[in-house]
Amino acid sequence: MTQEELLPLVLKKDDRAFTLLYDMYSKNLYGVIYNLVRDREEAEDVLQEVFVKIWKNIETYNESKGRFFTWILNIARNTTIDKLRSKGFNNSRKNLSADNFVHLLDDSNKLTNRIDTIGIREFVKKLKPKCIQIIDLLFFKGYTQQEASEELEIPLGTVKTQNRNCMNDLRNFLQV
């Protein structure tokens, strides 16, 4: 089933549409979420929350404002960032032992491969170095524009402008 065939079913809240939606997009969204939270259970919880949000808010999707995948990717990214900033999540992280971090070193290559499964990483690599840096911070590492501004030591307005220009460059690569 294609995305064009799926969307009308999702809008009608067809029971089988949720399963199809999940099957089509869960792996890609999980990779993005996991890259930010770096914890399998948390990523699964956030993924579930993301699909509930997609299902409940599907009528807010506007095709004229962008692609469906971009819309759900933003929901996943924003939900994950909200989770990362939550007090409960931060408190749970403070009490972890070093054993919980050993697997991150072993999985670092696998993690890169998971991000790459959606194919975005290859397109980002084709951008200018400044764009690669900004997109890495904002989208792959979950920085806010303010945090990216501080990290790169450039004005916030410059980060916003460069981000917009870089996203346009990325869109052009994706349309080819």
Side-chain angles (χ1 to χ4, degrees):
M1 177 171 281
T2 66
Q3 177 182 306
E4 290 76 24
E5 296 168 329
L6 177 64
L7 271 175
L9 295 174
V10 174
L11 284 165
K12 291 178 189 174
K13 305 279 184 172
D14 184 290
D15 291 338
R16 63 193 166 119
F18 186 84
T19 302
L20 294 169
L21 179 71
Y22 186 86
D23 290 344
M24 283 180 79
Y25 296 107
S26 62
K27 288 181 183 177
N28 293 338
L29 296 180
Y30 177 84
V32 171
I33 294 165
Y34 184 85
N35 185 45
L36 293 171
V37 298
R38 300 188 190 276
D39 179 89
R40 185 185 56 78
E41 287 181 28
E42 286 292 338
E44 290 170 358
D45 288 345
V46 172
L47 181 65
Q48 182 177 359
E49 189 177 334
V50 166
F51 274 97
V52 169
K53 284 183 179 183
I54 292 168
W55 191 253
K56 285 184 176 179
N57 298 305
I58 189 65
E59 60 278 344
T60 65
Y61 168 66
N62 184 342
E63 194 172 327
S64 68
K65 290 186 178 181
R67 292 180 170 173
F68 180 70
F69 183 73
T70 305
W71 184 73
I72 65 172
L73 192 60
N74 281 328
I75 291 173
R77 185 177 164 276
N78 292 338
T79 302
T80 306
I81 290 170
D82 289 346
K83 181 70 161 184
L84 289 171
R85 291 183 180 158
S86 72
K87 187 175 181 179
F89 183 82
N90 287 322
N91 285 341
S92 72
R93 289 294 203 202
K94 289 178 185 175
N95 298 322
L96 294 177
S97 71
D99 295 337
N100 291 319
F101 296 99
V102 173
H103 73 281
L104 292 178
L105 297 173
D106 296 334
D107 288 347
S108 62
N109 288 335
K110 292 178 191 171
L111 182 60
T112 302
N113 291 338
R114 280 194 199 127
I115 294 167
D116 206 31
T117 59
I118 62 174
I120 299 295
R121 176 88 57 200
E122 288 306 310
F123 287 103
V124 171
K125 286 180 183 176
K126 295 178 183 178
L127 297 172
K128 296 176 253 172
K130 190 55 112 176
C131 287
I132 294 169
Q133 194 175 30
I134 286 175
I135 290 173
D136 183 58
L137 290 175
L138 295 176
F139 294 93
F140 294 122
K141 293 183 178 169
Y143 281 45
T144 64
Q145 290 181 336
Q146 180 64 46
E147 291 166 340
S149 166
E150 292 166 7
E151 176 76 19
L152 299 172
E153 298 177 350
I154 58 176
L156 178 60
T158 303
V159 169
K160 290 180 178 185
T161 300
Q162 288 181 350
N163 180 41
R164 185 174 52 254
N165 293 339
C166 293
M167 287 292 107
N168 286 334
D169 291 347
L170 187 57
R171 273 188 206 98
N172 291 335
F173 279 129
L174 293 172
Q175 290 175 352
V176 173

